[in-house]
Amino acid sequence: MRALIHLFAFLFAGPALAGHLLGGDMTYVHLGNNVYRIEVQVFKECGVGADLDGIIDIGIFRENGTHFMTVSPSLEPVINIPVESGNPCIVTPPDLCVQRGLYHATVTLPPGNGYYTLTYQRCCRGAPIGNLVLPEQQGSTFTIQVPDASVHGHNSSPSFDGYPDLALCQSFPVTVLQEATDADGDSLVFELALPFVGGTTANPVPPPAAPPYTPVNLAAGYSVANLLNSTPPLTIDPVTGTMEVTPSMQNRFVVGVKIKEYRNGVVISEVLRDLIYVVVPCQGVLASIVDLTAEVRCGGLNVQFQNTSIGTDRFHWDFGVPGVDNDTSDLAVPTFTFP
């Protein structure tokens, strides 16, 4: 026997996002020969704080750390992206708005120099951010490596599908998709990671620096294994990229999502998406019914269901009888006779 509860009226409320960077990532596409198209996307709150930079500098470094070149793409038309919570029942507040800035550059990267590191650095994340020490001094470094084509063949990096869901609801379980596509058919493995530190308030737009880069400094009580200090902690499926968490406290939290790209069993590139998730208080529906005991399951076809849902006085049950559409009830505590 199967009973489905369709519940209504989920309310979502909380503070608006601050006018600072909310994250971003860097990817690239191989266009043929040794030509690559670099893409940088940056997320920030709409209409508050500094505008997105009209031009950015992307530093390109050889494997030995020496500077190869710098490219300076211009900002393409800015778009507002939908703010999703990962839960179709949540209605986000109207003042919650995120902009996406996009930059493209085309470069020629000759093989035989080892891998290339591409880097863009910027400030600022703003405050408060619950899992960082002095978050306003820990900007962002968006970086990625292009493997040596003479060793691994030409490569296009994995790219995330769609936009990130940046709103999370306190005390409610949420599933966040971090799906990605790889044009070369390489194997992808997802994991949680620490983003890298970039600019500061004193030097908000630094010239791109050569690697290595420093991970963000987490506050006490936080780790890669528990980036939101929640119970259970935030997890990610290494195969699908699906993240699951039940946030326990209101705040903002920096989360890094890394994709490792494997070819012939070797990691040839990594994409690191740097994001700030906002946890806000919610009042809403929690769908819950009491599991049927063995005595009830085996005691006959007439079953009374116990409803332990909270947050609504409207219910719709579908008891799952194949081939009929009248096996439903709008009662809070229904009884149904199965065929």
Side-chain angles (χ1 to χ4, degrees), residues 301-305 319-321 326-328 334-339:
L301 299 177
N302 191 38
V303 178
Q304 181 173 353
F305 290 90
F319 300 102
V321 179
N326 62 350
D327 59 333
T328 63
T335 298
F336 183 74
T337 301
F338 286 86

Side-chain angles (χ1 to χ4, degrees), residues 4 15 23 81 86 164 179 199 202 204 257 266 308 316:
L4 302 178
I81 65 173
E179 298 172 307
V257 178
V266 177
T308 52
H316 182 75

Side-chain angles (χ1 to χ4, degrees), residues 107-123:
V107 297
T108 299
L109 302 177
N113 295 311
Y115 62 78
Y116 293 89
T117 299
L118 318 177
T119 300
Y120 164 57
Q121 296 179 302
R122 189 64 166 89
C123 169

Side-chain angles (χ1 to χ4, degrees), residues 28-71:
Y28 60 86
V29 176
H30 175 235
L31 300 179
N33 297 323
N34 299 316
V35 180
Y36 296 84
R37 174 182 166 95
I38 308 169
E39 177 176 296
V40 178
Q41 61 176 349
V42 180
F43 306 111
K44 73 173 292 289
E45 186 196 4
C46 304
V48 182
D51 292 332
L52 290 165
D53 294 327
I55 298 175
I56 66 171
D57 289 335
I58 301 173
I60 303 177
F61 303 91
R62 300 180 183 89
E63 185 172 344
N64 62 10
T66 60
H67 180 258
F68 176 69
M69 65 183 301
T70 295
V71 292

Side-chain angles (χ1 to χ4, degrees), residues 78-123:
V78 176
I79 64 171
N80 292 353
I81 65 173
V83 178
E84 305 289 350
S85 65
N87 187 327
C89 297
I90 293 178
V91 179
T92 55
D95 59 346
L96 192 61
C97 176
V98 175
Q99 291 181 324
R100 193 282 301 265
L102 192 64
Y103 306 85
H104 286 111
T106 300
V107 297
T108 299
L109 302 177
N113 295 311
Y115 62 78
Y116 293 89
T117 299
L118 318 177
T119 300
Y120 164 57
Q121 296 179 302
R122 189 64 166 89
C123 169

